[in-house]
Amino acid sequence: MTQFSKEHQTYLKLRKRKRITVTCLRWGVLAVLIALWELMTALEWIDPFIVSSPSRIFRTLGNLMQGGKLFYHIGITLGETVLSFLLATVLGTAIAIALWWFPTVRSVIEPHLVVLNALPKIALGPIIIIWVGAGAGAIITMALLISLIITVISTLSGLCSVEKSKLLLMQTLGASKWQTLTKLILPANIPTVIDALKINVGLCWVGTIMGEYLISRAGLGYLIIYGGQIFQLDLVMTSTVVLCALAGAMYFVVELFQKFVNRRMNFVR
């Protein structure tokens, strides 16, 4: 069994204490904000009809759960988001690898990627509906368009930023391009890919909700639009809170995956 020095044990205790303190402060700040929100609406310092309140959101959440509607709409939105997230990650990484493999093609395509990334994707909504149809396919396509280009650009940047001295060493050793990719480029860019995953979490949720704003008849985006149309802002705020919780949970899963990968990399080393 590994024995640590007293100094190292003290360091670990301080690090653990700091982590616990930061976590408590995070939840504490959230609790204070929720309490202030409830207090200000109860005292009518702010209009609860406009901003709702935690208690009204809780009641609306309970009503949705009793009717079974909440999990139905969550399932629709979550399925669309996860599918677009997986597609954006796989396709974006594959395209970035292909552009790295063919430098001439990369030089031609890269400026167009920058222009496409700057294009407001909502402007393509009517075209997407005509091409794909007014269904879940159009929503997934919208989310894919929003997240795919960012994945390609960020991953490609990482692939092309490997130190030239290491590339020169691989060439000196007679490594093929495939060996350079699999033995050097991809292992060195695992953190880049994971960072792209973190970015995609938010972008895919944005794209999915944006698509549901346009055409959906179910999902959390639909509930937000429907609540706004009938001036039931409790429903709007409840759906927004659920979205925040789901996005946070998805981001947490990616962080767990990052820790798992880091442990495996450290073990291999």
Side-chain angles (χ1 to χ4, degrees):
M1 184 176 181
T2 304
Q3 297 292 332
F4 297 105
S5 64
K6 292 183 178 180
E7 292 78 8
H8 189 66
Q9 290 177 357
T10 303
Y11 166 76
L12 292 177
K13 289 180 180 179
L14 290 174
R15 185 176 177 181
K16 182 179 180 180
R17 187 180 304 168
K18 182 179 179 180
R19 185 168 61 250
I20 294 174
T21 301
V22 170
T23 302
C24 291
L25 287 175
R26 286 175 180 173
W27 287 104
V29 169
L30 180 61
V32 169
L33 291 176
I34 293 175
L36 287 175
W37 184 9
E38 181 68 29
L39 178 63
M40 287 188 291
T41 53
L43 298 177
E44 296 187 352
W45 293 349
I46 54 178
D47 191 347
F49 175 77
I50 297 176
V51 299
S52 189
S53 68
S55 58
R56 296 175 67 156
I57 289 174
F58 186 77
R59 286 195 298 270
T60 303
L61 192 63
N63 293 334
L64 289 173
M65 291 178 67
Q66 287 179 357
K69 296 180 180 178
L70 179 64
F71 297 110
Y72 170 72
H73 291 289
I74 286 177
I76 295 292
T77 302
L78 187 60
E80 293 165 346
T81 304
V82 171
L83 182 56
S84 61
F85 174 79
L86 295 175
L87 288 174
T89 301
V90 174
L91 292 177
T93 304
I95 293 172
I97 292 173
L99 292 177
W100 173 86
W101 192 278
F102 302 103
T104 302
V105 177
R106 180 174 73 244
S107 300
V108 174
I109 297 298
E110 203 165 10
H112 299 292
L113 290 176
V114 175
V115 173
L116 287 175
N117 185 49
L119 174 69
K121 309 306 183 297
I122 190 67
L124 300 176
I127 299 176
I128 294 173
I129 293 173
I130 294 173
W131 286 352
V132 183
I139 298 172
I140 294 172
T141 302
M142 174 68 74
L144 184 60
L145 286 177
I146 290 176
S147 56
L148 178 63
I149 299 175
I150 289 293
T151 304
V152 174
I153 292 175
S154 60
T155 305
L156 180 60
S157 176
L159 296 178
C160 296
S161 63
V162 176
E163 296 178 16
K164 293 183 178 180
S165 59
K166 295 181 179 179
L167 292 173
L168 182 60
L169 177 61
M170 295 293 290
Q171 293 175 1
T172 303
L173 295 174
S176 64
K177 198 164 188 177
W178 174 255
Q179 289 174 327
T180 301
L181 174 65
T182 56
K183 303 297 184 180
L184 174 62
I185 302 297
L186 291 180
N189 280 277
I190 290 177
T192 302
V193 174
I194 293 178
D195 288 339
L197 293 179
K198 291 182 177 181
I199 296 173
N200 278 346
V201 170
L203 292 179
C204 287
W205 279 106
V206 170
T208 300
I209 298 304
M210 189 181 298
E212 290 184 348
Y213 279 179
L214 292 175
I215 56 173
S216 179
R217 296 181 179 178
L220 295 173
Y222 166 78
L223 288 181
I224 293 174
I225 291 294
Y226 176 73
Q229 290 174 342
I230 63 174
F231 295 97
Q232 191 176 348
L233 299 186
D234 291 339
L235 180 60
V236 175
M237 295 299 294
T238 301
S239 302
T240 303
V241 169
V242 172
L243 275 175
C244 291
L246 290 174
M250 193 168 173
Y251 187 88
F252 179 71
V253 171
V254 174
E255 281 199 324
L256 289 178
F257 176 72
Q258 181 182 24
K259 292 179 180 179
F260 170 77
V261 171
N262 289 339
R263 284 197 298 267
R264 289 296 300 271
M265 291 177 64
N266 292 332
F267 176 77
V268 171
R269 291 174 185 175

